[in-house]
Amino acid sequence: IRTRSDAPIFRESEMSVRRRYRDFDWLVQELVARHPGIVVPAIPEKQSMGRFGEEFVEGRRAGLESSLARISRHPVLWKDDVFRLFLEADDFATKARAITETRVAAEINGTAPLLSGGNAAGSGLFGEGWGGAKYKEKDEWFSRRMQELDAIEEELRALLRALEYSQRQRRELSIAHGELGEAYLKMAGQELSRGLANGLTDMGSLQQRLRELQNKQGVADFAAFQLTTDEYIRMIGSVRTAFAARGRAHVQWQGSLGDLIKRRKVLEGYVQHPGRASGERIAQLKGEIARAEMRTEASRNAFDDVSQILKQELVRFDGGRVRDFQAAIESYLTSLVDTQEEIVVLWESYLASLRNADTARNGQASG
């Protein structure tokens, strides 16, 4: 990973480090845990079969690079210490392990910040339902957004299937051009007529060039549309994770509220039945209620905060999706027009050479 930046948080303006897939996964997990409600760009999923294939490796490389680029453009995530560590640390593995151990210990001991993402690995990062298993959405705005995103995901998956089919068709067409070109060249080698042999050789070379153009267009199609479509399918999974953080914040708030109500009922019983508890116990209980009220207020504020963050993130997600797909369409059409123009030039050149050869033969016959 090579990075250039003039941001003062980095030690150097240019950095170069080596990272494994699990390091990218660690980065995403930590950002999710540290920033509940923020849509952390997802990385391509792990794959065991075919993971050394050239096409898969390039697709994963492009996906990982795009995820890092999105993180670097996010107004909050790019400034996080774990992102800086990921981009510049030489002893990354040791420091990353220490950070994770510290966070997990704080969560276990209950000393983590109230607005915490919890264990990202179990928080919906890989497809948990909207809001988490224990939360049923009651806000109409968020409920409507869930339905919209479900519909968008379905449409994106249908588009991805169509793009993959188109890619297979283009690959088969490329192979056909190559095989046809080889057949023409072999025929040219056996042909006694020099004029026909030249024509077959030119046709064979033309077919080989068409094969190259189809391969080139296939790469452009992938870069323009498939990569963007696949990325936004993953991004909707990231949005689900952000929704799950809001669901956990609500569960935490309701848990604090339930504990407060229970303690108030106990105090009410003591007041209604004097003598059931000592003055010391009542004073202790009042202190517990005061602390429970503070926890309830803090958890309510945390829920409101993560809800507001998520709303802002959804607006950002919508704007980015429109811009990225508009750019993908423009890039796709530009590359398609360029390819078709090259194909037309090839055929026109071939036809011109045939006409010139025919003219030359007619001139020789007349002479």
Side-chain angles (χ1 to χ4, degrees), residues 1 19-25 42-68 222 226-227 230-231 234:
I1 303 169
R19 296 289 181 259
R20 297 177 64 86
Y21 176 85
R22 63 170 175 258
D23 301 330
F24 286 85
D25 187 50
I43 61 175
E45 294 181 3
K46 195 169 185 177
Q47 180 173 316
S48 56
M49 300 297 293
R51 60 194 179 98
F52 297 117
E54 182 179 348
E55 186 174 330
F56 172 76
V57 170
E58 173 56 23
R60 169 176 281 187
R61 185 208 62 77
L64 293 173
E65 182 178 12
S66 180
S67 296
L68 289 182
F222 173 80
Q226 268 185 266
L227 183 61
D230 189 48
E231 188 173 23
R234 295 197 306 271

Side-chain angles (χ1 to χ4, degrees), residues 3-5 12-16:
T3 308
R4 290 192 301 272
S5 175
E12 306 288 343
S13 59
E14 294 189 16
M15 299 156 283
S16 179

Side-chain angles (χ1 to χ4, degrees), residues 80 101 304 314:
D80 194 289
E101 289 173 353
D304 290 342
L314 289 172

Side-chain angles (χ1 to χ4, degrees), residues 135-144 246 311:
Y135 179 65
K136 184 175 178 61
E137 185 57 65
K138 301 178 181 64
D139 187 293
E140 182 180 349
W141 189 89
F142 283 104
S143 180
R144 185 176 66 255
R246 180 173 177 274
K311 283 187 175 182

